[in-house]
């Protein structure tokens, strides 16, 4: 392996003073130059391990939560590569959607106005002012592309610094030409199969962004409100009949929707209101006659037990409206204000005059005014009663959502199709979940769907729907006869491209055509990442080798969006899962145990952490977080990781100095004490990898290797189960025992104190242990593992074979791991006695007596020479008794 300085990396000497300084830059460059992580596309599918890497949202900067979860993926990628798989590990960038639009608006001080013509000479303001400059859609999109390219370069630099083993020749962006073509192709096939459809229906609407919102993008936020008690006069004209009866009292948190009231509803089993079902009441202020109806979703315990149905106050209103076949009287417009036109149902002059006072007002202002009107009319009973209640918001929005009637594109997802719902639930059962319990989140989401997936958005920067509509003789679009392009010409932009059979002069004129003005929801594109990355319909050979993919890594909160939507798309297109495994990461929590997020302003950017502690240290903290578990941001863990990396450097230098052919300056040459006593550790490790027999004769060495084989088994099983934290835990625990106990115990023997055979056994064991430990650490600590590997082994540790426990056990030749524990306990007892008297650890011990159970004492006795050497013990005696190892020490 040739380094960036032109030297042969396989011949590097062990440095006299190893350091972590600069290793990230050195090895990142070497990996790039050598193509260490380049995907070999010539191998068969059976040898490929492919990853559907999450494309981070390009909206300014990455934060430490990204470092956390992407490290988890990289650990698995590195492990699979060392297991002999050819890893397809691409990287995408999600630059499609609202986050990018908001960033561009704020960064350049502009806003999109689709009615404006394109200005090829437009330049954004040098200093954005308070008022945003209106520009055409095409100009706006150009600014989006310009800014995202800058952000993506910054992201790649940080990912390289972190050590992600991505193949950077396989990248994509969710708004690039390839992604647009894939998204439009998949949509047209959904449309042809009847899975995509256009419908006018009540839609969750964000009044700030002026766009529809899907169920998966909702979040409930606790907000203050108030119950208003309203009296509805009984309907009918007979003075002796219902009109003379007591009014019907309801409680509502949204009195401003009173002009949109179409019925009152109560539970069919509620005895208080059963006599009213089938009768009518009249709305206060507006005097509109509405029916009293029954429905199972009415809650007898909520408020007065009877509620008004308004079109539309919430999602339950939509269900009531649809199932009870009620009329629609929408009063909230797309701008979040009450519409100017008085609902036709309000016919009285007084009612129309009252509505005129509300028209054009915001929801908040309309609520204030209608409460005043109700109070003046005597229809408000008592004072409003303050409450706190959950209100639905768009996850990226700042104002409560409204429900307005709009024409939107939908994709069937099982929300209204029980057979499809069952099929998608079964897909969740097929998928291997890591951790397993995350499957419940998927199942709960599928079971809780209440409608199809709304995939259209009223935005500007996104993948446009490849659809035009013919205009009739009056210029009205015929939505029932959409015009679509051939797949071969995709991607298209209907706002500038022309449908087949038309000319641009026919755009927007009677008898001509109109473009669909909407773009796809960002998840409608992101749901296709396995197809985009694998070259679907573009690179047939690559697609055949990597799809279906092996792994989808992601956070738990987007199981309902990204994971589920991807399953929906590939189930529709191929009738199978897009990947076989899903590895779920948790959140990063701040010191107050709150999720870190940009919207909360509590994020930590990672560059400073990487510079201060080193990439391996930050990766160590990330890999210590359990799969699927929310983890606290912990600088202390990063410090621990740095200490571990430094210890690996120093312990490796020391171990190699005990018997390696690359000797650090100032260290005694191996074999000086006993001619011929040295064994080249590098050569021994190579022999082990090749499966050749090497001499391991001493019980302690065999015990060490037997314990190491157990560690390899445990780490391998953990990583096969995607439990990177467990793999790191068992490896690190063994490493510290190796350093603190084993190296100290065999140091004298390795230098040849007890003859050539004992030295060879120790040096062989040290070489094997070091080789194995570096490979076990390599997925988590790639930089320090590569650094040490380069001192004595050719090639990259990241292309080396994963350790084989069976081969190590052959060398151990029946060694007993418990011997290492017993001798380590005895050595600890000797050290503790010296420490208690504040003696040096090198102080001579006149005598030491080892007690404990006969089996344990026999184990220690088998390594008596090593214990005597390590503890500087003149007289070592053994006295079997009962219990654990005990040590009685007399200092010289």
């Amino acid at each position: 392996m040739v380094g960036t300085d032109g030297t042969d990396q396989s011949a590097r000497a062990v440095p006299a003073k190893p350091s972590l300084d600069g290793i990230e830059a050195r090895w990142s460059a070497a990996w790039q130059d050598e193509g260490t992580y380049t995907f070999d596309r010539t191998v068969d599918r059976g040898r490929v391990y492919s990853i559907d890497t999450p494309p981070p949202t390009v909206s300014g900067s990455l934060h430490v939560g990204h470092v956390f979860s992407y490290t988890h993926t990289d650990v698995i990628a590195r492990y699979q590569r060392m297991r002999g798989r050819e890893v397809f590990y691409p990287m995408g960038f999600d630059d499609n959607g609202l986050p990018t639009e908001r960033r561009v608006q704020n960064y350049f001080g502009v806003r999109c106005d689709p009615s404006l013509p394109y200005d090829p000479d437009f330049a954004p303001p040098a200093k954005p002012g308070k008022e945003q400059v209106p520009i055409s859609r095409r100009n706006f999109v150009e600014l989006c592309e310009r800014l995202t390219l800058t952000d993506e370069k910054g992201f790649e630099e940080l990912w390289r610094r972190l050590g992600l083993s991505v193949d950077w020749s396989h990248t994509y962006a969710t708004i690039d030409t390839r992604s647009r073509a894939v998204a439009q192709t998949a949509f047209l096939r959904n449309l042809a199969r009847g899975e995509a459809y256009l419908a006018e229906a009540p839609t969750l609407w964000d009044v700030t962004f002026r766009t529809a919102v899907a169920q998966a993008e909702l979040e409930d936020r606790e907000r203050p409100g108030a119950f208003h008690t309203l009296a509805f006069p009984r309907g009918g004209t007979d003075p002796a009949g219902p009109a003379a009866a007591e009014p019907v009292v309801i409680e509502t948190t949204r009195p401003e929707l009173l002009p949109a009231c179409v019925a009152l509803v109560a539970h069919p089993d509620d005895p208080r209101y059963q006599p009213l079902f089938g009768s009518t009441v009249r709305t206060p202020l507006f005097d509109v006659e509405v029916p009293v109806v029954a429905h199972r979703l009415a809650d007898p315990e909520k408020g007065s037990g009877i509620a008004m149905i308004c079109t539309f106050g919430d999602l339950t209103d939509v269900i009531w409206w649809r199932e009870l076949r009620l009329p629609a009287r929408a009063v909230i417009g797309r701008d979040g204000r009450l519409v100017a036109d008085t609902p036709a149902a309000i016919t009285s002059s007084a009612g129309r005059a009252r509505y005129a006072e509300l028209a054009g007002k915001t929801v908040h202002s309309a609520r204030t005014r209608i409460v005043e009107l109700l109070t003046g009319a005597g229809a408000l009973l008592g004072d409003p009663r303050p409450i706190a209640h959950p209100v639905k918001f768009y996850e990226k929005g700042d104002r409560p959502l409204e429900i307005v009637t709009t024409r939107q594109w939908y994709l069937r997802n099982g929300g209204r199709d029980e057979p499809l719902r069952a099929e998608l639930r079964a897909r969740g059962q097929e998928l291997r979940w890591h951790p397993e319990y995350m499957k419940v989140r998927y199942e709960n989401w599928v079971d809780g769907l209440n409608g199809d997936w709304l995939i259209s958005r009223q935005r500007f920067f996104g993948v446009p729907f490849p659809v035009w509509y013919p205009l009739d003789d009056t210029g009205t679009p015929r939505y029932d006869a959409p015009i679509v392009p051939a797949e071969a010409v995709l991607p298209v932009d209907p706002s500038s491209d022309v449908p087949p059979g038309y000319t641009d002069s026919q755009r927007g004129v009677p008898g001509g055509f109109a473009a669909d003005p909407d773009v796809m929801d960002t998840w409608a594109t992101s749901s296709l990442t396995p197809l985009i990355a694998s070259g679907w319909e573009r690179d047939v050979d690559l697609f055949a080798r990597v799809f279906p993919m092996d792994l989808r890594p992601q956070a738990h909160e987007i199981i309902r969006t990204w994971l589920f939507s991807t399953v929906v798309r590939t189930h529709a297109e191929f009738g199978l899962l897009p990947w076989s495994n899903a590895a779920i990461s948790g959140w990063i929590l701040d010191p107050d145990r709150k999720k870190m997020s940009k919207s909360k302003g509590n994020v930590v950017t990672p560059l400073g952490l990487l510079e201060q502690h080193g990439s391996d240290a930050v990766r160590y903290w990330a890999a210590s977080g359990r799969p699927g578990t929310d983890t606290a941001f912990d600088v202390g863990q990063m410090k621990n990781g740095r200490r571990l990396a430094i210890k690996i450097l120093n312990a490796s230098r020391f171990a190699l100095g005990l018997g390696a052919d690359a000797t650090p300056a100032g260290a005694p040459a191996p074999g000086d004490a006993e001619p011929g006593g040295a064994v080249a550790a590098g050569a021994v490790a190579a022999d082990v990898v090749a499966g050749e027999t090497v001499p391991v004769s001493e019980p302690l060495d065999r015990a060490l290797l037997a314990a190491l084989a157990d560690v390899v088994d445990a780490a391998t099983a953990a990583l096969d189960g995607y439990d990177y934290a467990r793999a790191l835990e068992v490896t690190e625990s063994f490493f510290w025992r190796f350093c603190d106990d084993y190296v100290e115990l065999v140091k004298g023997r390795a230098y040849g104190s007890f003859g050539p055979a004992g030295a060879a056994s120790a040096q062989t064991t040290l070489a094997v242990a070091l080789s194995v430990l570096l490979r076990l650490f390599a997925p988590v600590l790639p930089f320090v593992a590569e650094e040490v590997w380069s001192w004595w082994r050719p090639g990259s540790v990241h292309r080396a074979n994963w350790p084989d426990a069976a081969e190590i056990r052959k060398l151990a030749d029946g060694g007993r791991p418990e011997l290492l524990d017993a001798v380590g306990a005895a050595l600890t007892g000797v050290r503790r006695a010296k420490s208690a008297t504040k003696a040096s650890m090198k102080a001579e011990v006149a005598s030491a007596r080892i007690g404990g159970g006969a089996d344990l004492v026999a184990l220690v006795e088998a390594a008596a020479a090593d214990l005597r050497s390590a503890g500087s013990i003149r007289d070592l005696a053994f006295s079997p008794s009962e219990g654990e190892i005990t040590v009685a020490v007399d200092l010289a």
Side-chain angles (χ1 to χ4, degrees):
M1 184 176 184
V2 179
T4 54
D5 58 359
T7 61
D8 182 356
Q9 296 295 302
S10 63
R12 292 185 65 204
V14 180
K17 293 183 178 180
S19 171
L20 297 177
D21 294 342
I23 66 172
E24 289 96 347
R26 180 166 68 251
W27 288 114
S28 291
W31 294 332
Q32 177 66 22
D33 292 345
E34 294 297 312
T36 305
Y37 309 125
T38 300
F39 173 65
D40 180 1
R41 63 182 296 160
T42 65
V43 301
D44 294 337
R45 178 64 182 93
R47 281 194 54 207
V48 171
Y49 185 89
S50 52
I51 301 173
D52 184 17
T53 318
T57 301
V58 181
S59 56
S61 63
L62 297 166
H63 60 77
V64 75
H66 293 102
V67 165
F68 179 73
S69 58
Y70 281 76
T71 295
H72 300 164
T73 306
D74 189 61
V75 170
I76 299 301
R78 290 179 177 278
Y79 167 70
Q80 292 291 343
R81 196 177 286 114
M82 295 177 76
R83 291 283 277 175
R85 308 287 291 277
E86 199 56 43
V87 176
F88 180 66
Y89 189 9
M91 178 61 73
F93 299 99
D94 190 4
D95 48 12
N96 167 11
L98 280 171
T100 300
E101 282 195 30
R102 295 182 72 175
R103 176 158 162 72
V104 169
Q105 288 170 346
N106 296 331
Y107 188 90
F108 291 112
V110 298
R111 63 179 175 83
C112 183
D113 183 346
S115 67
L116 295 176
Y118 173 66
D119 180 359
D121 300 319
F122 174 76
K127 290 185 177 181
K130 291 183 179 179
E131 294 294 325
Q132 293 179 336
V133 178
I135 58 175
S136 73
R137 179 181 182 276
R138 184 173 168 186
N139 285 123
F140 188 82
V141 169
E142 287 179 353
L143 292 182
C144 289
E145 292 172 336
R146 172 174 154 187
L147 188 58
T148 54
L149 283 174
T150 302
D151 286 343
E152 286 163 12
K153 289 178 182 177
F155 282 25
E156 181 176 337
E157 290 173 4
L158 190 138
W159 287 146
R160 288 181 181 274
R161 175 68 182 263
L162 182 64
L164 296 193
S165 58
V166 165
D167 182 347
W168 290 102
S169 67
H170 289 279
T171 59
Y172 67 86
T174 56
I175 200 64
D176 65 19
T177 301
R178 183 198 338 171
S179 296
R180 294 200 307 274
V182 168
Q184 291 183 343
T185 300
F187 169 78
L188 289 179
R189 295 189 183 181
N190 291 137
L191 183 62
R193 292 191 296 262
E195 296 149 1
Y197 63 91
L198 191 65
E200 188 167 6
T203 308
L204 287 161
W205 187 266
D206 187 286
V207 299
T208 301
F209 295 112
R210 305 284 181 91
T211 186
V213 176
Q215 182 182 353
E217 298 170 303
L218 306 181
E219 65 180 33
D220 286 336
R221 300 179 192 171
E222 199 76 8
R223 285 292 184 271
F227 269 127
H228 301 76
T229 304
L230 309 185
F232 279 67
R234 300 287 293 275
T237 56
D238 183 357
E246 291 293 322
V248 178
V249 176
I250 66 104
E251 291 188 350
T252 179
T253 59
R254 302 207 61 180
E256 72 278 9
L257 291 181
L258 184 60
C261 178
V262 293
L264 299 189
V265 63
H267 195 277
D269 298 331
D270 193 330
R272 294 172 296 175
Y273 301 109
Q274 283 180 342
L276 291 179
F277 297 146
S279 68
T280 61
V281 294
R282 305 193 73 82
T283 59
L285 297 182
F286 305 106
D287 198 32
V288 175
E289 191 166 10
V290 297
V292 180
V293 297
H295 196 278
R296 67 190 184 285
L297 292 183
D299 184 357
E301 304 299 323
K302 185 176 181 180
S304 61
I306 189 168
M308 64 176 182
I309 301 174
C310 300
T311 53
F312 298 94
D314 58 22
L315 292 173
T316 307
D317 277 342
V318 177
I319 296 172
W320 284 330
W321 166 79
R322 181 181 294 120
E323 294 187 1
L324 296 171
R325 301 181 182 278
L326 297 168
R329 294 176 192 143
V331 296
I332 305 294
R334 295 188 180 195
D335 58 358
R337 296 175 180 270
L338 269 68
V339 297
D341 295 335
T342 304
I346 302 175
T347 56
S348 70
S349 57
R352 298 180 71 83
R354 285 163 175 161
Y355 184 83
E357 293 192 48
L358 306 176
K361 291 184 180 296
T362 64
V363 167
H364 178 77
S365 297
R367 182 178 304 155
T368 300
R369 181 56 184 149
I370 203 167
V371 167
E372 293 171 349
L373 293 172
L374 287 166
T375 302
L380 181 68
L381 307 181
D383 294 328
R385 176 163 52 88
I387 60 167
H389 61 147
V391 177
K392 294 200 179 300
F393 281 75
Y394 173 39
E395 60 187 0
K396 295 180 174 64
D398 300 318
R399 295 170 66 182
L401 293 172
E402 297 295 344
I403 298 178
V404 300
T405 299
T406 60
R407 181 177 286 103
Q408 305 288 345
W409 283 104
Y410 293 85
L411 194 63
R412 302 188 192 281
N413 67 352
R416 297 181 182 175
D417 183 340
E418 284 302 325
L420 177 57
R421 188 197 301 264
E423 291 171 8
L424 294 171
R425 202 178 195 281
R427 291 288 178 218
Q429 294 285 344
E430 293 175 40
L431 187 61
R432 292 192 290 271
W433 296 82
H434 311 283
E436 172 71 18
Y437 63 79
M438 284 294 172
K439 177 171 61 178
V440 174
R441 297 197 181 200
Y442 175 91
E443 293 173 342
N444 289 344
W445 175 252
V446 175
D447 292 342
L449 289 169
N450 57 28
D452 285 331
W453 178 14
L454 191 158
I455 61 170
S456 50
R457 294 293 179 270
Q458 291 64 54
R459 302 303 301 169
F460 316 115
F461 187 56
V463 178
F465 284 93
V467 175
W468 300 267
Y469 305 102
L471 301 179
D472 64 17
D473 294 341
T474 65
T476 301
R478 288 193 55 201
Y479 294 111
D480 61 338
I483 307 166
V484 299
E487 288 184 9
V489 302
L490 299 177
V492 298
D493 184 348
S495 68
S496 56
D497 294 324
V498 178
Y502 290 83
T503 65
D504 197 54
S505 63
Q506 294 174 280
R507 185 184 299 274
V509 300
F513 69 92
D516 190 300
D518 294 344
V519 297
M520 297 182 194
D521 166 29
T522 184
W523 293 113
T525 303
S526 297
S527 63
L528 299 166
T529 53
L531 305 186
I532 296 169
S534 61
W536 180 56
E537 300 296 354
R538 174 184 54 88
D539 189 332
V540 176
D541 177 74
L542 178 65
F543 186 72
R545 295 179 191 278
V546 304
F547 185 88
M549 304 181 94
D550 293 273
L551 176 64
R552 157 60 71 82
Q554 64 166 72
H556 54 62
E557 81 273 17
I558 53 174
I559 288 174
R560 73 188 193 281
T561 48
W562 192 33
L563 191 147
F564 175 68
S565 64
T566 309
V567 171
V568 169
R569 303 306 291 278
T570 54
H571 176 78
E573 186 64 33
F574 306 101
L576 48 72
L577 279 173
W579 357 257
S580 52
N581 295 276
I584 309 299
S585 295
W587 285 337
I588 291 303
L589 308 178
D590 68 12
D592 295 327
R593 308 295 296 177
K594 296 177 181 177
K595 177 197 173 187
M596 279 195 180
S597 69
K598 291 181 181 179
S599 62
K600 292 183 173 65
N602 62 347
V603 299
V604 176
T605 53
L607 185 57
L609 297 171
L610 296 173
E611 292 173 343
Q612 180 180 0
H613 303 288
S615 298
D616 281 343
V618 176
R619 290 172 64 100
Y620 171 88
W621 159 73
S624 299
R626 300 288 176 190
T629 303
D630 295 345
T631 301
F633 175 69
D634 189 352
V635 172
Q637 271 288 76
M638 296 178 195
K639 292 178 179 178
N640 291 340
R642 185 170 181 83
R643 281 194 290 269
L644 173 61
I646 291 171
K647 185 66 175 180
I648 290 171
L649 287 179
N650 293 329
S652 300
R653 174 185 177 276
F654 186 71
L656 290 172
L658 292 177
D661 51 359
T663 305
D672 283 354
E674 294 279 1
V679 175
V684 169
D687 290 343
V688 172
V689 172
E692 298 177 12
T693 302
V694 290
V696 178
S697 57
E698 299 301 312
L700 181 61
D701 301 336
R702 290 177 176 175
L704 186 283
L705 292 178
L708 181 58
D710 289 345
V711 169
V712 170
D713 277 339
T716 302
L719 287 170
D720 282 343
Y722 295 80
D723 191 347
Y724 37 80
R726 175 61 181 163
L728 174 60
E729 180 181 54
V730 297
T731 302
E732 183 184 5
S733 176
F734 180 87
F735 172 75
W736 288 112
R737 291 171 62 205
F738 171 75
C739 295
D740 295 344
D741 294 341
Y742 178 77
V743 172
E744 291 301 315
L745 284 163
V746 303
K747 182 166 53 178
R749 177 155 55 85
Y751 279 135
S753 300
F754 310 144
S761 180
Q763 291 162 357
T764 297
T765 304
L766 284 166
V768 172
L770 183 58
S771 171
V772 170
L773 283 166
L774 289 177
R775 285 177 280 161
L776 292 177
F777 276 128
V780 177
L781 309 174
F783 292 104
V784 72
E786 189 78 295
E787 174 70 11
V788 175
W789 191 264
S790 73
W791 298 345
W792 66 310
R793 295 298 311 278
S796 171
V797 69
H798 303 298
R799 284 290 184 174
N801 290 331
W802 186 253
D804 186 334
E807 291 297 319
I808 299 169
R809 285 198 176 90
K810 287 181 183 178
L811 292 173
D813 193 20
R816 299 175 62 184
E818 59 268 27
L819 185 152
L820 183 64
D821 297 329
V823 180
L827 181 60
T828 298
V830 173
R831 290 169 174 162
R832 188 178 294 119
K834 291 180 179 182
S835 179
T837 60
K838 299 183 179 179
S840 167
M841 289 297 112
K842 296 181 180 179
E844 189 175 70
V845 174
S847 65
R849 183 175 299 277
I850 308 300
D855 289 346
L856 292 176
V857 171
L859 291 172
V860 178
E861 195 168 1
D866 291 324
L867 178 60
R868 187 181 289 110
S869 174
S872 302
I873 303 169
R874 284 207 308 258
D875 181 22
L876 181 60
F878 299 92
S879 179
S881 55
E882 299 291 336
E884 300 300 318
I885 291 293
T886 61
V887 182
V889 172
D890 290 327
L891 293 177

